[in-house]
PDB file of all heavy atoms in Angstrom:
ATOM      1  N   LYS A 201     -38.886 -96.583  -6.855  1.00  0.00           N
ATOM      2  CA  LYS A 201     -38.165 -96.413  -5.574  1.00  0.00           C
ATOM      3  C   LYS A 201     -38.784 -95.306  -4.710  1.00  0.00           C
ATOM      4  O   LYS A 201     -38.280 -95.001  -3.631  1.00  0.00           O
ATOM      5  CB  LYS A 201     -36.694 -96.031  -5.837  1.00  0.00           C
ATOM      6  CG  LYS A 201     -35.918 -97.058  -6.610  1.00  0.00           C
ATOM      7  CD  LYS A 201     -35.458 -98.158  -5.690  1.00  0.00           C
ATOM      8  CE  LYS A 201     -34.638 -99.198  -6.421  1.00  0.00           C
ATOM      9  NZ  LYS A 201     -34.650-100.495  -5.745  1.00  0.00           N
ATOM     10  N   ARG A 202     -39.835 -94.655  -5.199  1.00  0.00           N
ATOM     11  CA  ARG A 202     -40.318 -93.445  -4.521  1.00  0.00           C
ATOM     12  C   ARG A 202     -40.845 -93.694  -3.113  1.00  0.00           C
ATOM     13  O   ARG A 202     -40.866 -92.778  -2.292  1.00  0.00           O
ATOM     14  CB  ARG A 202     -41.380 -92.742  -5.370  1.00  0.00           C
ATOM     15  CG  ARG A 202     -42.719 -93.471  -5.408  1.00  0.00           C
ATOM     16  CD  ARG A 202     -43.626 -92.901  -6.463  1.00  0.00           C
ATOM     17  NE  ARG A 202     -44.928 -93.559  -6.488  1.00  0.00           N
ATOM     18  CZ  ARG A 202     -45.163 -94.757  -6.984  1.00  0.00           C
ATOM     19  NH1 ARG A 202     -44.178 -95.482  -7.517  1.00  0.00           N
ATOM     20  NH2 ARG A 202     -46.373 -95.281  -6.954  1.00  0.00           N
ATOM     21  N   GLU A 203     -41.294 -94.937  -2.840  1.00  0.00           N
ATOM     22  CA  GLU A 203     -41.806 -95.235  -1.485  1.00  0.00           C
ATOM     23  C   GLU A 203     -40.672 -95.517  -0.500  1.00  0.00           C
ATOM     24  O   GLU A 203     -40.886 -95.577   0.702  1.00  0.00           O
ATOM     25  CB  GLU A 203     -42.742 -96.469  -1.503  1.00  0.00           C
ATOM     26  CG  GLU A 203     -43.869 -96.422  -2.524  1.00  0.00           C
ATOM     27  CD  GLU A 203     -44.999 -95.484  -2.139  1.00  0.00           C
ATOM     28  OE1 GLU A 203     -44.905 -94.868  -1.057  1.00  0.00           O
ATOM     29  OE2 GLU A 203     -45.957 -95.345  -2.932  1.00  0.00           O
ATOM     30  N   ASN A 204     -39.474 -95.738  -1.031  1.00  0.00           N
ATOM     31  CA  ASN A 204     -38.318 -95.971  -0.168  1.00  0.00           C
ATOM     32  C   ASN A 204     -38.012 -94.672   0.583  1.00  0.00           C
ATOM     33  O   ASN A 204     -37.819 -93.627  -0.048  1.00  0.00           O
ATOM     34  CB  ASN A 204     -37.128 -96.377  -1.062  1.00  0.00           C
ATOM     35  CG  ASN A 204     -35.873 -96.685  -0.271  1.00  0.00           C
ATOM     36  OD1 ASN A 204     -35.646 -96.129   0.801  1.00  0.00           O
ATOM     37  ND2 ASN A 204     -35.046 -97.552  -0.798  1.00  0.00           N
ATOM     38  N   PRO A 205     -37.996 -94.700   1.936  1.00  0.00           N
ATOM     39  CA  PRO A 205     -37.773 -93.451   2.678  1.00  0.00           C
ATOM     40  C   PRO A 205     -36.434 -92.783   2.384  1.00  0.00           C
ATOM     41  O   PRO A 205     -36.249 -91.594   2.677  1.00  0.00           O
ATOM     42  CB  PRO A 205     -37.867 -93.892   4.145  1.00  0.00           C
ATOM     43  CG  PRO A 205     -37.948 -95.372   4.159  1.00  0.00           C
ATOM     44  CD  PRO A 205     -38.232 -95.868   2.780  1.00  0.00           C
ATOM     45  N   GLN A 206     -35.523 -93.526   1.774  1.00  0.00           N
ATOM     46  CA  GLN A 206     -34.239 -92.928   1.395  1.00  0.00           C
ATOM     47  C   GLN A 206     -34.390 -91.952   0.233  1.00  0.00           C
ATOM     48  O   GLN A 206     -33.520 -91.135  -0.023  1.00  0.00           O
ATOM     49  CB  GLN A 206     -33.300 -94.041   0.871  1.00  0.00           C
ATOM     50  CG  GLN A 206     -32.314 -94.611   1.853  1.00  0.00           C
ATOM     51  CD  GLN A 206     -31.469 -95.681   1.179  1.00  0.00           C
ATOM     52  OE1 GLN A 206     -31.903 -96.842   1.092  1.00  0.00           O
ATOM     53  NE2 GLN A 206     -30.287 -95.337   0.726  1.00  0.00           N
ATOM     54  N   VAL A 207     -35.492 -92.130  -0.541  1.00  0.00           N
ATOM     55  CA  VAL A 207     -35.604 -91.434  -1.828  1.00  0.00           C
ATOM     56  C   VAL A 207     -36.675 -90.336  -1.803  1.00  0.00           C
ATOM     57  O   VAL A 207     -37.788 -90.548  -1.327  1.00  0.00           O
ATOM     58  CB  VAL A 207     -35.937 -92.457  -2.952  1.00  0.00           C
ATOM     59  CG1 VAL A 207     -36.126 -91.758  -4.304  1.00  0.00           C
ATOM     60  CG2 VAL A 207     -34.848 -93.541  -3.045  1.00  0.00           C
ATOM     61  N   LEU A 208     -36.311 -89.175  -2.338  1.00  0.00           N
ATOM     62  CA  LEU A 208     -37.294 -88.114  -2.571  1.00  0.00           C
ATOM     63  C   LEU A 208     -37.403 -87.931  -4.084  1.00  0.00           C
ATOM     64  O   LEU A 208     -36.408 -87.637  -4.747  1.00  0.00           O
ATOM     65  CB  LEU A 208     -36.843 -86.799  -1.918  1.00  0.00           C
ATOM     66  CG  LEU A 208     -37.757 -85.603  -2.173  1.00  0.00           C
ATOM     67  CD1 LEU A 208     -39.097 -85.760  -1.442  1.00  0.00           C
ATOM     68  CD2 LEU A 208     -37.082 -84.291  -1.735  1.00  0.00           C
ATOM     69  N   PHE A 209     -38.599 -88.114  -4.619  1.00  0.00           N
ATOM     70  CA  PHE A 209     -38.818 -88.012  -6.061  1.00  0.00           C
ATOM     71  C   PHE A 209     -39.459 -86.656  -6.354  1.00  0.00           C
ATOM     72  O   PHE A 209     -40.552 -86.350  -5.876  1.00  0.00           O
ATOM     73  CB  PHE A 209     -39.732 -89.159  -6.513  1.00  0.00           C
ATOM     74  CG  PHE A 209     -39.753 -89.389  -8.001  1.00  0.00           C
ATOM     75  CD1 PHE A 209     -39.103 -90.494  -8.554  1.00  0.00           C
ATOM     76  CD2 PHE A 209     -40.426 -88.529  -8.856  1.00  0.00           C
ATOM     77  CE1 PHE A 209     -39.127 -90.721  -9.928  1.00  0.00           C
ATOM     78  CE2 PHE A 209     -40.446 -88.746 -10.231  1.00  0.00           C
ATOM     79  CZ  PHE A 209     -39.800 -89.854 -10.767  1.00  0.00           C
ATOM     80  N   LEU A 210     -38.804 -85.840  -7.146  1.00  0.00           N
ATOM     81  CA  LEU A 210     -39.322 -84.503  -7.474  1.00  0.00           C
ATOM     82  C   LEU A 210     -39.475 -84.334  -8.986  1.00  0.00           C
ATOM     83  O   LEU A 210     -38.831 -85.047  -9.763  1.00  0.00           O
ATOM     84  CB  LEU A 210     -38.359 -83.418  -6.967  1.00  0.00           C
ATOM     85  CG  LEU A 210     -38.115 -83.315  -5.457  1.00  0.00           C
ATOM     86  CD1 LEU A 210     -37.022 -82.277  -5.172  1.00  0.00           C
ATOM     87  CD2 LEU A 210     -39.395 -82.948  -4.702  1.00  0.00           C
ATOM     88  N   PHE A 211     -40.298 -83.360  -9.376  1.00  0.00           N
ATOM     89  CA  PHE A 211     -40.505 -83.055 -10.795  1.00  0.00           C
ATOM     90  C   PHE A 211     -40.043 -81.627 -11.098  1.00  0.00           C
ATOM     91  O   PHE A 211     -40.383 -80.686 -10.348  1.00  0.00           O
ATOM     92  CB  PHE A 211     -41.995 -83.161 -11.156  1.00  0.00           C
ATOM     93  CG  PHE A 211     -42.533 -84.557 -11.119  1.00  0.00           C
ATOM     94  CD1 PHE A 211     -43.129 -85.046  -9.962  1.00  0.00           C
ATOM     95  CD2 PHE A 211     -42.461 -85.391 -12.233  1.00  0.00           C
ATOM     96  CE1 PHE A 211     -43.637 -86.349  -9.912  1.00  0.00           C
ATOM     97  CE2 PHE A 211     -42.970 -86.679 -12.193  1.00  0.00           C
ATOM     98  CZ  PHE A 211     -43.562 -87.161 -11.028  1.00  0.00           C
ATOM     99  N   TYR A 212     -39.345 -81.498 -12.219  1.00  0.00           N
ATOM    100  CA  TYR A 212     -38.912 -80.173 -12.705  1.00  0.00           C
ATOM    101  C   TYR A 212     -40.124 -79.261 -12.891  1.00  0.00           C
ATOM    102  O   TYR A 212     -40.098 -78.083 -12.523  1.00  0.00           O
ATOM    103  CB  TYR A 212     -38.172 -80.377 -14.036  1.00  0.00           C
ATOM    104  CG  TYR A 212     -37.659 -79.132 -14.715  1.00  0.00           C
ATOM    105  CD1 TYR A 212     -36.334 -78.720 -14.537  1.00  0.00           C
ATOM    106  CD2 TYR A 212     -38.467 -78.380 -15.574  1.00  0.00           C
ATOM    107  CE1 TYR A 212     -35.841 -77.587 -15.181  1.00  0.00           C
ATOM    108  CE2 TYR A 212     -37.991 -77.241 -16.214  1.00  0.00           C
ATOM    109  CZ  TYR A 212     -36.679 -76.854 -16.028  1.00  0.00           C
ATOM    110  OH  TYR A 212     -36.195 -75.743 -16.665  1.00  0.00           O
ATOM    111  N   GLU A 213     -41.190 -79.810 -13.444  1.00  0.00           N
ATOM    112  CA  GLU A 213     -42.381 -79.006 -13.743  1.00  0.00           C
ATOM    113  C   GLU A 213     -43.003 -78.455 -12.455  1.00  0.00           C
ATOM    114  O   GLU A 213     -43.529 -77.337 -12.453  1.00  0.00           O
ATOM    115  CB  GLU A 213     -43.414 -79.833 -14.534  1.00  0.00           C
ATOM    116  CG  GLU A 213     -42.974 -80.228 -15.944  1.00  0.00           C
ATOM    117  CD  GLU A 213     -41.931 -81.343 -15.980  1.00  0.00           C
ATOM    118  OE1 GLU A 213     -41.824 -82.100 -14.985  1.00  0.00           O
ATOM    119  OE2 GLU A 213     -41.218 -81.455 -16.990  1.00  0.00           O
ATOM    120  N   ASP A 214     -42.947 -79.253 -11.362  1.00  0.00           N
ATOM    121  CA  ASP A 214     -43.463 -78.764 -10.072  1.00  0.00           C
ATOM    122  C   ASP A 214     -42.584 -77.632  -9.551  1.00  0.00           C
ATOM    123  O   ASP A 214     -43.081 -76.675  -8.960  1.00  0.00           O
ATOM    124  CB  ASP A 214     -43.468 -79.894  -9.020  1.00  0.00           C
ATOM    125  CG  ASP A 214     -44.518 -80.956  -9.314  1.00  0.00           C
ATOM    126  OD1 ASP A 214     -45.389 -80.702 -10.165  1.00  0.00           O
ATOM    127  OD2 ASP A 214     -44.446 -82.038  -8.702  1.00  0.00           O
ATOM    128  N   MET A 215     -41.285 -77.763  -9.773  1.00  0.00           N
ATOM    129  CA  MET A 215     -40.370 -76.710  -9.312  1.00  0.00           C
ATOM    130  C   MET A 215     -40.642 -75.410 -10.060  1.00  0.00           C
ATOM    131  O   MET A 215     -40.583 -74.330  -9.494  1.00  0.00           O
ATOM    132  CB  MET A 215     -38.914 -77.148  -9.488  1.00  0.00           C
ATOM    133  CG  MET A 215     -38.504 -78.223  -8.490  1.00  0.00           C
ATOM    134  SD  MET A 215     -36.874 -78.928  -8.813  1.00  0.00           S
ATOM    135  CE  MET A 215     -35.781 -77.522  -8.654  1.00  0.00           C
ATOM    136  N   LYS A 216     -40.924 -75.532 -11.359  1.00  0.00           N
ATOM    137  CA  LYS A 216     -41.237 -74.343 -12.148  1.00  0.00           C
ATOM    138  C   LYS A 216     -42.555 -73.725 -11.679  1.00  0.00           C
ATOM    139  O   LYS A 216     -42.723 -72.518 -11.684  1.00  0.00           O
ATOM    140  CB  LYS A 216     -41.344 -74.683 -13.645  1.00  0.00           C
ATOM    141  CG  LYS A 216     -40.041 -74.978 -14.340  1.00  0.00           C
ATOM    142  CD  LYS A 216     -39.085 -73.787 -14.404  1.00  0.00           C
ATOM    143  CE  LYS A 216     -39.616 -72.603 -15.183  1.00  0.00           C
ATOM    144  NZ  LYS A 216     -38.580 -71.546 -15.313  1.00  0.00           N
ATOM    145  N   GLU A 217     -43.496 -74.574 -11.274  1.00  0.00           N
ATOM    146  CA  GLU A 217     -44.822 -74.082 -10.905  1.00  0.00           C
ATOM    147  C   GLU A 217     -44.823 -73.420  -9.521  1.00  0.00           C
ATOM    148  O   GLU A 217     -45.408 -72.366  -9.330  1.00  0.00           O
ATOM    149  CB  GLU A 217     -45.823 -75.233 -10.919  1.00  0.00           C
ATOM    150  CG  GLU A 217     -47.251 -74.761 -10.776  1.00  0.00           C
ATOM    151  CD  GLU A 217     -48.208 -75.932 -10.777  1.00  0.00           C
ATOM    152  OE1 GLU A 217     -48.239 -76.671  -9.768  1.00  0.00           O
ATOM    153  OE2 GLU A 217     -48.894 -76.123 -11.784  1.00  0.00           O
ATOM    154  N   ASP A 218     -44.167 -74.072  -8.572  1.00  0.00           N
ATOM    155  CA  ASP A 218     -44.207 -73.558  -7.199  1.00  0.00           C
ATOM    156  C   ASP A 218     -42.917 -73.963  -6.485  1.00  0.00           C
ATOM    157  O   ASP A 218     -42.861 -74.963  -5.768  1.00  0.00           O
ATOM    158  CB  ASP A 218     -45.439 -74.147  -6.469  1.00  0.00           C
ATOM    159  CG  ASP A 218     -45.652 -73.511  -5.109  1.00  0.00           C
ATOM    160  OD1 ASP A 218     -44.730 -72.847  -4.594  1.00  0.00           O
ATOM    161  OD2 ASP A 218     -46.754 -73.688  -4.544  1.00  0.00           O
ATOM    162  N   ILE A 219     -41.901 -73.152  -6.690  1.00  0.00           N
ATOM    163  CA  ILE A 219     -40.571 -73.507  -6.184  1.00  0.00           C
ATOM    164  C   ILE A 219     -40.541 -73.577  -4.653  1.00  0.00           C
ATOM    165  O   ILE A 219     -39.905 -74.439  -4.071  1.00  0.00           O
ATOM    166  CB  ILE A 219     -39.474 -72.556  -6.761  1.00  0.00           C
ATOM    167  CG1 ILE A 219     -38.068 -73.011  -6.361  1.00  0.00           C
ATOM    168  CG2 ILE A 219     -39.715 -71.110  -6.404  1.00  0.00           C
ATOM    169  CD1 ILE A 219     -37.640 -74.334  -6.865  1.00  0.00           C
ATOM    170  N   ARG A 220     -41.294 -72.684  -4.013  1.00  0.00           N
ATOM    171  CA  ARG A 220     -41.294 -72.682  -2.540  1.00  0.00           C
ATOM    172  C   ARG A 220     -41.786 -74.026  -1.993  1.00  0.00           C
ATOM    173  O   ARG A 220     -41.198 -74.605  -1.082  1.00  0.00           O
ATOM    174  CB  ARG A 220     -42.157 -71.531  -2.012  1.00  0.00           C
ATOM    175  CG  ARG A 220     -42.138 -71.375  -0.493  1.00  0.00           C
ATOM    176  CD  ARG A 220     -42.844 -70.108  -0.078  1.00  0.00           C
ATOM    177  NE  ARG A 220     -42.204 -68.936  -0.655  1.00  0.00           N
ATOM    178  CZ  ARG A 220     -41.203 -68.277  -0.072  1.00  0.00           C
ATOM    179  NH1 ARG A 220     -40.764 -68.646   1.106  1.00  0.00           N
ATOM    180  NH2 ARG A 220     -40.656 -67.229  -0.654  1.00  0.00           N
ATOM    181  N   LYS A 221     -42.863 -74.518  -2.598  1.00  0.00           N
ATOM    182  CA  LYS A 221     -43.429 -75.793  -2.148  1.00  0.00           C
ATOM    183  C   LYS A 221     -42.389 -76.919  -2.266  1.00  0.00           C
ATOM    184  O   LYS A 221     -42.235 -77.744  -1.366  1.00  0.00           O
ATOM    185  CB  LYS A 221     -44.659 -76.106  -3.021  1.00  0.00           C
ATOM    186  CG  LYS A 221     -45.512 -77.213  -2.521  1.00  0.00           C
ATOM    187  CD  LYS A 221     -46.819 -77.221  -3.311  1.00  0.00           C
ATOM    188  CE  LYS A 221     -47.461 -78.574  -3.249  1.00  0.00           C
ATOM    189  NZ  LYS A 221     -48.409 -78.766  -4.335  1.00  0.00           N
ATOM    190  N   GLU A 222     -41.660 -76.932  -3.375  1.00  0.00           N
ATOM    191  CA  GLU A 222     -40.684 -78.010  -3.593  1.00  0.00           C
ATOM    192  C   GLU A 222     -39.463 -77.842  -2.684  1.00  0.00           C
ATOM    193  O   GLU A 222     -38.919 -78.820  -2.189  1.00  0.00           O
ATOM    194  CB  GLU A 222     -40.271 -78.076  -5.076  1.00  0.00           C
ATOM    195  CG  GLU A 222     -41.429 -78.327  -6.034  1.00  0.00           C
ATOM    196  CD  GLU A 222     -42.362 -79.463  -5.607  1.00  0.00           C
ATOM    197  OE1 GLU A 222     -41.886 -80.609  -5.538  1.00  0.00           O
ATOM    198  OE2 GLU A 222     -43.559 -79.201  -5.348  1.00  0.00           O
ATOM    199  N   VAL A 223     -39.068 -76.591  -2.446  1.00  0.00           N
ATOM    200  CA  VAL A 223     -37.942 -76.357  -1.526  1.00  0.00           C
ATOM    201  C   VAL A 223     -38.336 -76.806  -0.119  1.00  0.00           C
ATOM    202  O   VAL A 223     -37.542 -77.420   0.598  1.00  0.00           O
ATOM    203  CB  VAL A 223     -37.484 -74.866  -1.554  1.00  0.00           C
ATOM    204  CG1 VAL A 223     -36.513 -74.558  -0.419  1.00  0.00           C
ATOM    205  CG2 VAL A 223     -36.840 -74.528  -2.896  1.00  0.00           C
ATOM    206  N   MET A 224     -39.590 -76.576   0.269  1.00  0.00           N
ATOM    207  CA  MET A 224     -40.049 -77.004   1.590  1.00  0.00           C
ATOM    208  C   MET A 224     -40.030 -78.537   1.707  1.00  0.00           C
ATOM    209  O   MET A 224     -39.684 -79.083   2.756  1.00  0.00           O
ATOM    210  CB  MET A 224     -41.450 -76.455   1.910  1.00  0.00           C
ATOM    211  CG  MET A 224     -41.532 -74.925   2.053  1.00  0.00           C
ATOM    212  SD  MET A 224     -40.211 -74.139   3.014  1.00  0.00           S
ATOM    213  CE  MET A 224     -40.624 -74.682   4.662  1.00  0.00           C
ATOM    214  N   LYS A 225     -40.390 -79.223   0.603  1.00  0.00           N
ATOM    215  CA  LYS A 225     -40.325 -80.705   0.605  1.00  0.00           C
ATOM    216  C   LYS A 225     -38.890 -81.168   0.847  1.00  0.00           C
ATOM    217  O   LYS A 225     -38.626 -82.108   1.590  1.00  0.00           O
ATOM    218  CB  LYS A 225     -40.753 -81.244  -0.776  1.00  0.00           C
ATOM    219  CG  LYS A 225     -42.230 -81.417  -0.971  1.00  0.00           C
ATOM    220  CD  LYS A 225     -42.458 -82.165  -2.294  1.00  0.00           C
ATOM    221  CE  LYS A 225     -43.839 -81.869  -2.823  1.00  0.00           C
ATOM    222  NZ  LYS A 225     -44.033 -82.301  -4.212  1.00  0.00           N
ATOM    223  N   LEU A 226     -37.988 -80.468   0.169  1.00  0.00           N
ATOM    224  CA  LEU A 226     -36.563 -80.797   0.274  1.00  0.00           C
ATOM    225  C   LEU A 226     -36.060 -80.598   1.706  1.00  0.00           C
ATOM    226  O   LEU A 226     -35.357 -81.439   2.268  1.00  0.00           O
ATOM    227  CB  LEU A 226     -35.841 -79.844  -0.681  1.00  0.00           C
ATOM    228  CG  LEU A 226     -34.488 -80.203  -1.212  1.00  0.00           C
ATOM    229  CD1 LEU A 226     -34.517 -81.538  -1.908  1.00  0.00           C
ATOM    230  CD2 LEU A 226     -34.035 -79.118  -2.204  1.00  0.00           C
ATOM    231  N   ILE A 227     -36.479 -79.478   2.295  1.00  0.00           N
ATOM    232  CA  ILE A 227     -36.054 -79.156   3.663  1.00  0.00           C
ATOM    233  C   ILE A 227     -36.544 -80.235   4.630  1.00  0.00           C
ATOM    234  O   ILE A 227     -35.798 -80.714   5.490  1.00  0.00           O
ATOM    235  CB  ILE A 227     -36.583 -77.752   4.071  1.00  0.00           C
ATOM    236  CG1 ILE A 227     -35.825 -76.679   3.283  1.00  0.00           C
ATOM    237  CG2 ILE A 227     -36.492 -77.525   5.565  1.00  0.00           C
ATOM    238  CD1 ILE A 227     -36.374 -75.276   3.418  1.00  0.00           C
TER     239      ILE A 227
END
Side-chain angles (χ1 to χ4, degrees):
K201 299 279 182 204
R202 72 192 182 285
E203 308 285 0
N204 182 330
Q206 263 180 276
V207 177
L208 176 69
F209 195 106
L210 297 174
F211 291 93
Y212 179 96
E213 293 74 21
D214 290 347
M215 288 172 62
K216 287 295 298 186
E217 190 181 72
D218 188 345
I219 186 63
R220 184 172 300 271
K221 192 169 158 200
E222 301 313 297
V223 169
M224 294 316 289
K225 275 189 204 167
L226 203 56
I227 289 171

